[in-house]
Each structure stands twice: as structure tokens, then as C-alpha cells.
Amino acid sequence: MKNSRQSGIERIPFSGEDVVSFLLSYIGETDDIVTVKDKDLVILYLNRAGAAFLGVSPEEGKGRRCFEVLGRKKPCVGCLSGPAAETGRFQFREVFIPERNTWFEVKSWPVRNADGETAAVVEVLRDCSERKKAEEELAGAVTRLEAKNRELEEERKRAEGLAEEAGRAERVKSAFLANMSHEIRTPLNGILGMTDLLLDSPMAKEQEECAETIQRSAEHLLSLVDEILDLSKLEAGKLVLESVPFDLREMVEDLVTETAVRGAEKGLDTVLSLDPSVPSVLRGDPVRTRQILGNLLGNAVKFTLSGEVRLDVSSVDSGLTGFVLRFSVSDTGIGVPENAAGALFQPFFQGDPSTTRRFGGTGLGLSICRGLAEAMGGSLGMTPRSGGGSVFWCELPFGRVPFGEAEDLPVDQRLLGFPVILAGGGASWQTEASGLAGKWLCSVRTADSPEDLRSLLEKRSGGDGDGRCAVFVDRELLRKEAGWSPSALPADLRRGVLFFSVDPPGTFPETGYLLREGLAGRITSPLRRGVFREAVLSAAETDRGKRQGSPGGSEPAGSFRSALLPARVLIADDSRVNRKVAARMLQKLGCSVTGAADGEEALRMLQTERFDIVLMDVQMPGKDGLEVTSALRSQKWTGCNGSVPVIAMTAHALPGDREKCLAAGMDDYLPKPVRFRDLEEKLSVHLSRRRPEEIDAPAEGTGGVYCREEAVLRLNIDGEELDALAGEYLEDALEILDRMADAEERGDEKAAADAAHTLKGMSANIGAERVRAAALRAERSWREGGNGASMADVLRAELRNFGNVLGWVRERRDLREDR
């Protein structure tokens, strides 16, 4: 089997003329060159293709050697006929014939005679030039590809180096931004916090103006820091978006109210138009949506000198799972030049160089807003407004929330057909009020003159109903014409009717004014749906109506703070200024405050003293706020306060900082600079969750600061006598506190404890429960050899709270006497 090819050739029956004739015919016509040579390489047979290649006829080629025909003197290099004849074995290789510039696949077979000797060689040459050319081209391509790969590899390494360098630059940039934010926010916390407290204290007019200037400048610096951080997040692609249910109406009402207050300072009207088909509750990112709209509304007020600012909200596309809302902020301001419209949304761009000098700003706001809108899957743009001004619009996608559209369904039976009279004099709030009341199926009427109002009230009192009604009168009408005042109406027309004034934003008339005019209350324009509804319901419900406007039933502004009292707060912050600012704010809220200068001190206090809430700085020497909170939440914690609410109060405001705080076990996050209202809101949320047994003192109407009713009953005197005694108590208590401080400075702990004991007894007698509890803790601390110095600060704060409440009680009593 090994020599099957050779054996096959040897056994061909050459004597068969038909077979030989067929083979010769095939060989003669094939395109391959076929030659038969003897062992000396002399051509015995040459087919047509071979003769054509050699340039001779088949007959002329016989008896000659092929290399001689090609004009050579010796066999071709690499000729296979010789090896085949010499070895008696099949030969194969590729050979290049330069005379014909041709590549061949050459195969040579030795042919043996009966004795097994090589008698001849059959050689077949097949032209493979095209294949070789393709192979050469492929080899060239491979070579070029390898070279290109080497170039790409070099480029890759260069790119990796650049990427690594860019990464280092990004890390440096992030570290710089984090440090910048932290370092700037820390002093801003002190500036804004102290300014808030300063503005809330009695000052001369000139001092107040200086403090307001400081506040505005600090707020501008804070907004600039926030804008730079937002721009950095957008450029780095690190902006994190939320998707949570939120109340759209409440959000836009808040924004428009804030805008209206600023606009009122320039005499601008502020209008809100919210399409009734837009659900109140939807799913999206409320923080970024508010940021975009707040910027657009702020710009509208800034660049509008007269006229109005308007926010329109409508639906432009609606589906089963979501919809797209269009927010349009229009104004009657200076507008945008045509040549500036194209570059309006580029960072740091100002349409007119004089704009910055005239109106201020960095030119970052619109660029950030567009980036936010696009990150949320929406768009933002601007169109000129006919007649002057401009319209900035933003389209954002939101998800549906089950029953988000059913805010007022089913219809409240108390409002069905209830009469509501609107006297707006054409004011924008009248349209909004009419739409809301109509949606609740109230019976809405408008009064264009005092006579119209009187006529509508006469018809009401003469009807079949019970006479109840709600009347809303524009404050400007009340100011211009006395006939609008409820006090000018006969008693029979006022019976069962609650009158409300609709005031411009930012105005706060005194309670005495409402009583003199016969008003049950006031609401502000632009209307807030919830406030307007509550006012109408107060008129619709008899019990509510009786309570409305009653001086005895009212509480001081911010009375919800009493729900926070008494609260023991630990402030952990390495900045003395930050601790002082936060302590002032907390004391103003009636809280007892203890400070810790680092994490280790905070842990020691948390181990032994009970607190209601902890304000924790994140970046502190030694143990930082995250480590302290992790230890507090650990299963190994054996001290007090294992479940106390911890609020991060930190200058860290970069992406992920809030998540790190929450992951460490903190309950909330409050970025610096801390504003008084934000702190108050956070405390109200977390302290309202306390169980009654966790509260030290009774929570009366004044939060245990002044238990007046209990003291009146116990001492068997009237309230006025008790208030007079309370005034004397306050003076004596402050003197005792001074003696206590002197004793503490001398190191006389017994004298300090005795003074605290005296103050404790006086406070218990007069009903100053919060002061009594603090004095008791101070006395125990000094008698047990502890440090009562911190308790002196608590006592001073509690006495200040007592004085504030006492002053409010006296003012309320004076109001009742005036009536």
C-alpha cells in the first residue's frame, strides 16, 4: 500500500490501445504541463501545454532536456525529475521559473520497469502564480497588519498612560473639590448660622441692613460653590438621579411662593398655572426638578424689572406608565439678544458683558440646568416672547404613581355645593381659586364691588341653606375701600361666614389687624392648594369655624416646635464655631445642648448620658463621625443611645457622601452651612417619633417650658398674678445662675450645687418645669463630683426659653384685653 501510486502506474496495461489513447488524449488537452522523461531527463513525451510553455512543438521538444529548451546549460535549481529518478520516490515542491515569471506546483513520479528499476519520470507542472500572488499579498497584508498592531499597541500604551494621567488629574480634581467644598462650607456655616440668629434678634435698622448684606453675600458664595460642584458632576458623568414618588403641586407651589416673595420686592406679579389634567403625585427626581425650575424662576425675577413672572405646567405626551411635562417660565424682562441665543447654555456665558455687572451671576446656571434636564431624559430651551421678555421651557419625563390623579376623588361631601365668594378685583389668584373650588364642586361666585358682595351674602342668608359661606377678599381691595371690610357689614350678613384676606407674598399683618377687620385668617398669593382647601373647609365645618380667629385657640408662630421639647441634643464637631452656631440654633428651639470636640469625647458621652438626637460631624480628628456612628450601631455597643437618631451635619457635599453617612448607620444628612429652618425641619421629623415615656417633662401647650395652668390650679391664683410672679422669678433665677457660675469658677462645687438646688425649688413652684429638670441634673452633677459647667449653659438656655414663652403669654393676654 505504501507505493500504491507507483504500483498503479506500473500496472497500467500499455498494451491496451484504447486506454492508452484515452489517457494520451486527456494528457494532451489538460492545462497542466505534463512531460515524460527518461532517467537522464531527456523528454520522451511533451503535451500541448508543455510545448506552449517551452515555446516549441511537441515533436521539437522530444529528445531534448527541458533546461536546454529554456536556454540553460544545466538543470534548473530545484528540479524534481532528477531526485525522483535517483531516489525512486515521489517528489513535490513549488518552483519559480524566472524566464516565464511563473510559479508552478511541480510533482514528479518515478516509473519502474519490470525489474523495479526507474525507467522514466512523469512530471506535472500546475500554474500557481495567482495563488502565490494572493499568498504574497496576504503575507504583505499580514506584515502590514502586524506593523499596524505594533503601532496600535504603542498607541494603547500611550492611551493607557494618558488615561492614568487623566485619572490622577481627576482624582486630584475630586480631592480638590471635596476639600474646597469642605473648607468653604465650614466658615460659611458659621457666617450664615450666626447671621440667621442675628437677624432674628432686635437690631437697629442700619445693623439689620448690614446683616442682610452679609447673608446675601454668603448665600451667593454658597450657590457658586454648589454650581461648581454640579458642573463637575455633570462633566464627570457622576450625577446620581432619584426616581421616587413626590407631590408636584406642593413642589411648584413652594417654588412659586418663594419666587413671589422675591418678586414682590420689585413689584412683580407671580402667576402659577397648573393644568388640572397633570397628576399631583408622580415619580421622578424632585430635587433636580426643583433645582431646574428654581434656577429658571430665579433668572426670571433677576432679569425682569416690571411686569410679571409666570410658570405654566402642562402635559405634552402621555402613556400608560408615564408622561412628559412641559414647564414654561415666561417673563416680561429684558429678553435675550438674537446673537446670544445660540451660546446661551454654554458654561460661563453671559449674553451681554454688562449683564454680570448689572445683575450678577456666573453664567453657570443655564448650562447646569440643560445638563440636568438631558441627564433626566428631557430637554431645555428658550424662545423669545412676543412683546418683550422670554420663555424658558423644560420638558421632563415622569412616571405614573397609582392613584396619583385621584387627589380630590371621591368628592369631599363637606365641599359639595358649598358657597365660596371671591373678591379679587381681577387679580391672578382669583382664576386659580375659581378653578380649585370648581374642581371640588363648590358653588363659586365672584364679587366685583362691595355692593355685589353684600347682595351675594343677602341671597345666601335668605336661602334654604344653613348660612355658612367662605369669602376671600384681595388685600389691596381692603386697603383701598372700607366697604370691602367684613367689619362694615351688618351682623346678620356676617353670621356663619368666614372672611379671609388674600395677601401679597412676604406680608405679615399683625393679629390685631385681622381681628379689627373681622377676618378669620389670611392666605397668600399665589395660592397654595392645601392652604386654600383648609380655609374653605374651616368655613364648611361648624367646629372649625368656631375655632378660626379665636385668640385663645391660636398658638405662636412656629408653635409646632413645642413637639420637639424637651430635647437633649449632642453636637459632635471639632470646630468650636460650628458647635456654637448649632447650639445657638438649638437653644432657640428650646433644646438642651451638649458639645463634644471629637469622636472619642462623643463616644464617652454617648456611653453614659442619654440624648434624644445627635448632630454628628463627619470629618473629625481621631475617630471620625462615620466610625463613631458605626460603633454606636454595633451589636457590641453596651452603653446608652444605641438607637438614638444621628444626623450627619457635615461640609461634605459631593456625590456619595450622603450614601456613606446612611451606610454607616446615620439616620439623616444635613449639609453645611446649616440653615435654621432646615435644622428645625430635621429635628421635627426625628423627634416627633419619640415615645411619650422617652420625654422628660410634661408637654403642655408650651412644651413644659411654662406649665401655667397646672401652677394656677396648684397655687390657687389667677393667671395674671402668676405671670407677675414669673417675671420676678426670672430676675431672681438669673441672679442665682450668676452665683452658680461664680462658685464654679472658684471650684466651690458645694456652693454651685446649693445654688442649683435653690433654683430647682423656685422653678418647681412657678411651673418652670424645663428649668427645674435642668437644675436637678446640675445639682446631681456637682454633688457627685462631676463637671456641671455644661449644665450652666443648659440652664441659661432654658431660662431664656422661659422668658420667651412668658412674653408670648403676656402678649396673648393683652390681645384679649384689647378686644
Side-chain angles (χ1 to χ4, degrees):
M1 295 296 293
K2 181 176 179 181
N3 297 318
S4 61
R5 290 181 177 175
Q6 292 87 335
S7 300
I9 294 174
E10 292 170 355
R11 290 195 294 270
I12 291 177
F14 286 102
S15 58
E17 295 181 359
D18 292 340
V19 174
V20 173
S21 176
F22 169 76
L23 288 176
L24 290 175
S25 174
Y26 172 77
I27 293 172
E29 296 302 322
T30 183
D31 292 332
D32 294 338
I33 299 173
V34 180
T35 60
V36 180
K37 307 173 186 177
D38 63 15
K39 60 181 180 179
D40 295 324
L41 306 184
V42 175
I43 297 175
L44 301 177
Y45 171 80
L46 180 66
N47 73 345
R48 177 187 57 77
F53 175 74
L54 294 175
V56 295
S57 67
E59 295 300 326
E60 292 174 341
K62 289 182 180 179
R64 302 172 63 183
R65 294 182 176 90
C66 60
F67 64 87
E68 293 175 343
V69 178
L70 290 172
R72 298 182 181 182
K73 296 181 179 180
K74 51 185 178 180
C76 301
V77 178
C79 177
L80 299 183
S81 298
E86 293 173 359
T87 63
R89 294 180 179 179
F90 169 76
Q91 304 290 323
F92 171 79
R93 68 177 297 180
E94 294 176 347
V95 177
F96 180 68
I97 307 298
E99 289 83 355
R100 300 292 186 267
N101 192 29
T102 306
W103 277 95
F104 288 102
E105 290 179 353
V106 181
K107 300 176 181 178
S108 295
W109 290 270
V111 179
R112 296 181 178 84
N113 56 23
D115 298 329
E117 299 176 347
T118 301
V121 174
V122 177
E123 189 172 67
V124 179
L125 289 77
R126 175 168 292 176
D127 190 339
C128 63
S129 299
E130 290 299 325
R131 180 176 62 77
K132 291 295 290 185
K133 181 179 179 182
E135 287 178 353
E136 289 175 356
E137 290 178 351
L138 179 60
V142 170
T143 302
R144 290 191 299 273
L145 182 60
E146 289 174 347
K148 183 62 67 176
N149 285 339
R150 287 192 296 271
E151 291 178 10
L152 290 175
E153 180 64 17
E154 293 174 0
E155 290 295 329
R156 184 188 65 80
K157 291 179 179 179
R158 191 158 43 245
E160 286 179 351
L162 292 173
E164 185 176 350
E165 184 177 340
R168 285 195 300 269
E170 181 65 27
R171 288 191 293 273
V172 171
K173 175 183 175 183
S174 298
F176 168 75
L177 287 173
N179 289 330
M180 180 200 72
S181 174
H182 186 275
E183 295 303 321
I184 294 178
R185 285 174 181 273
T186 297
L188 276 178
N189 183 59
I191 294 171
L192 283 171
M194 284 300 188
T195 306
D196 282 345
L197 294 171
L198 187 62
L199 287 170
D200 207 24
S201 62
M203 286 188 296
K205 183 65 176 176
E206 184 178 352
Q207 293 172 324
E208 184 176 352
E209 291 176 355
C210 292
E212 289 174 347
T213 302
I214 294 172
Q215 185 183 51
R216 286 193 297 270
S217 299
E219 287 175 342
H220 176 68
L221 179 57
L222 177 62
S223 66
L224 181 58
V225 172
D226 289 337
E227 285 180 346
I228 293 174
L229 289 177
D230 280 337
L231 187 64
S232 174
K233 296 174 196 173
L234 288 169
E235 288 178 346
K238 294 181 178 179
L239 186 72
V240 179
L241 298 174
E242 286 186 312
S243 180
V244 297
F246 71 99
D247 192 322
L248 175 70
R249 173 176 283 276
E250 182 179 356
M251 185 194 73
V252 295
E253 285 178 347
D254 286 343
L255 280 171
V256 171
T257 299
E258 295 168 8
T259 303
V261 172
R262 297 195 302 271
E265 298 174 357
K266 302 172 68 173
L268 303 178
D269 291 330
T270 305
V271 181
L272 168 64
S273 176
L274 182 59
D275 191 329
S277 66
V278 175
S280 288
V281 181
L282 38 77
R283 178 178 291 277
D285 191 326
V287 175
R288 297 305 180 183
T289 303
R290 184 186 180 95
Q291 183 177 352
I292 294 171
L293 298 181
N295 185 278
L296 297 182
L297 288 167
N299 283 346
V301 172
K302 181 194 297 185
F303 297 111
T304 303
L305 303 179
S306 62
E308 73 170 17
V309 171
R310 182 183 183 92
L311 172 61
D312 293 277
V313 185
S314 59
S315 176
V316 295
D317 189 18
S318 181
L320 292 176
T321 60
F323 42 84
V324 177
L325 296 185
R326 183 181 180 94
F327 303 88
S328 297
V329 176
S330 55
D331 60 62
T332 55
I334 62 175
V336 179
E338 289 186 14
N339 59 353
L344 191 60
F345 297 96
Q346 294 179 3
F348 303 105
F349 177 80
Q350 294 281 12
D352 184 348
S354 64
T355 299
T356 303
R357 296 192 300 272
R358 186 179 178 190
F359 297 102
T362 61
L364 283 174
L366 288 177
S367 172
I368 291 172
C369 285
R370 170 168 279 187
L372 291 175
E374 291 175 350
M376 296 168 68
S379 58
L380 187 146
M382 186 278 300
T383 54
R385 182 179 181 181
S386 58
S390 57
V391 179
F392 283 84
W393 53 267
C394 178
E395 293 185 354
L396 298 175
F398 296 95
R400 290 189 180 276
V401 174
F403 309 109
E405 301 92 337
E407 179 187 22
D408 296 309
L409 296 175
V411 174
D412 194 324
Q413 295 298 316
R414 297 169 295 178
L415 298 179
L416 184 60
F418 183 75
V420 175
I421 299 175
L422 307 175
S428 58
W429 67 262
Q430 188 170 338
T431 303
E432 180 73 5
S434 179
L436 288 172
K439 188 177 180 181
W440 301 328
L441 302 185
C442 296
S443 175
V444 184
R445 298 289 184 269
T446 58
D448 298 325
S449 66
E451 291 73 22
D452 288 346
L453 175 60
R454 185 184 292 261
S455 175
L456 289 171
L457 292 175
E458 288 174 349
K459 292 177 181 178
R460 172 201 59 82
S461 59
D464 297 332
D466 57 9
R468 286 177 294 147
C469 179
V471 178
F472 296 87
V473 185
D474 193 271
R475 174 73 180 277
E476 189 65 17
L477 296 180
L478 288 170
R479 187 183 67 82
K480 288 181 177 179
E481 190 173 346
W484 286 106
S485 175
S487 61
L489 296 171
D492 60 326
L493 293 184
R494 297 199 307 268
R495 187 175 299 112
V497 181
L498 289 190
F499 294 85
F500 300 88
S501 69
V502 183
D503 297 353
T507 56
F508 302 97
E510 71 281 5
T511 306
Y513 165 80
L514 299 177
L515 296 175
R516 287 194 302 273
E517 294 293 336
L519 296 168
R522 58 182 289 274
I523 61 176
T524 57
S525 172
L527 297 185
R528 298 176 68 93
R529 176 193 173 282
V531 175
F532 180 60
R533 181 185 175 92
E534 184 68 19
V536 176
L537 278 172
S538 68
E541 291 185 283
T542 306
D543 291 341
R544 288 195 185 204
K546 289 179 180 179
R547 292 195 298 268
Q548 283 288 336
S550 170
S554 62
E555 292 190 11
S559 61
F560 69 90
R561 297 177 191 171
S562 62
L564 310 182
L565 304 175
R568 299 150 298 184
V569 184
L570 172 64
I571 304 172
D573 198 309
D574 61 316
S575 169
R576 182 179 60 84
V577 173
N578 286 343
R579 293 198 305 273
K580 187 175 182 180
V581 170
R584 290 282 183 88
M585 292 182 178
L586 291 166
Q587 288 165 359
K588 192 174 182 63
L589 291 169
C591 298
S592 301
V593 183
T594 303
D598 55 49
E600 296 288 354
E601 185 179 4
L603 277 175
R604 288 194 298 270
M605 291 181 175
L606 289 166
Q607 187 80 28
T608 57
E609 300 181 41
R610 290 195 175 275
F611 296 98
D612 295 303
I613 200 162
V614 179
L615 300 181
M616 184 76 69
D617 187 22
V618 172
Q619 185 171 309
M620 293 187 291
K623 287 188 180 295
D624 61 26
L626 300 178
E627 292 175 301
V628 172
T629 307
S630 296
L632 188 64
R633 302 300 191 223
S634 170
Q635 294 182 351
K636 299 179 181 179
W637 180 259
T638 58
C640 306
N641 307 295
S643 59
V644 65
V646 178
I647 299 177
M649 191 175 68
T650 174
H652 290 282
L654 292 178
D657 287 336
R658 182 178 186 276
E659 289 71 19
K660 290 178 184 176
C661 294
L662 298 180
M666 295 184 179
D667 299 272
D668 216 326
Y669 176 85
L670 193 59
K672 294 175 183 174
V674 176
R675 306 309 300 270
F676 182 80
R677 298 301 177 193
D678 295 335
L679 177 61
E680 184 180 36
E681 180 182 345
K682 296 292 185 185
L683 290 179
S684 66
V685 169
H686 291 283
L687 291 177
S688 63
R689 299 169 181 167
R690 289 183 298 173
R691 297 187 300 274
E693 61 268 21
E694 296 175 331
I695 302 176
D696 280 347
E700 293 185 21
T702 57
V705 177
Y706 185 18
C707 301
R708 189 171 182 267
E709 295 180 4
E710 182 270 340
V712 166
L713 293 174
R714 175 167 44 80
L715 299 175
N716 195 24
I717 60 176
D718 62 30
E720 189 171 350
E721 289 179 295
L722 179 63
D723 294 341
L725 289 173
E728 296 176 9
Y729 153 80
L730 190 58
E731 295 176 0
D732 293 345
L734 290 172
E735 292 179 3
I736 293 172
L737 191 60
D738 290 338
R739 294 203 307 270
M740 189 186 304
D742 291 339
E744 198 277 329
E745 288 181 5
R746 297 193 309 271
D748 190 345
E749 295 178 355
K750 182 179 183 304
D754 290 343
H757 178 79
T758 303
L759 182 58
K760 178 187 67 176
M762 291 171 52
S763 303
N765 285 332
I766 207 68
E769 177 61 28
R770 289 288 302 277
V771 180
R772 182 205 66 78
L776 173 62
R777 292 196 295 272
E779 180 187 7
R780 287 176 178 172
S781 178
W782 274 309
R783 294 204 189 282
E784 293 171 1
N787 181 11
S790 61
M791 297 307 301
D793 293 336
V794 174
L795 282 167
R796 200 173 298 278
E798 295 295 357
L799 285 171
R800 189 183 299 112
N801 291 335
F802 181 84
N804 292 338
V805 172
L806 179 61
W808 167 70
V809 170
R810 287 171 171 170
E811 288 177 7
R812 194 171 67 168
R813 185 187 65 217
D814 293 342
L815 276 176
R816 286 198 296 269
E817 289 175 356
D818 289 343
R819 292 189 67 207

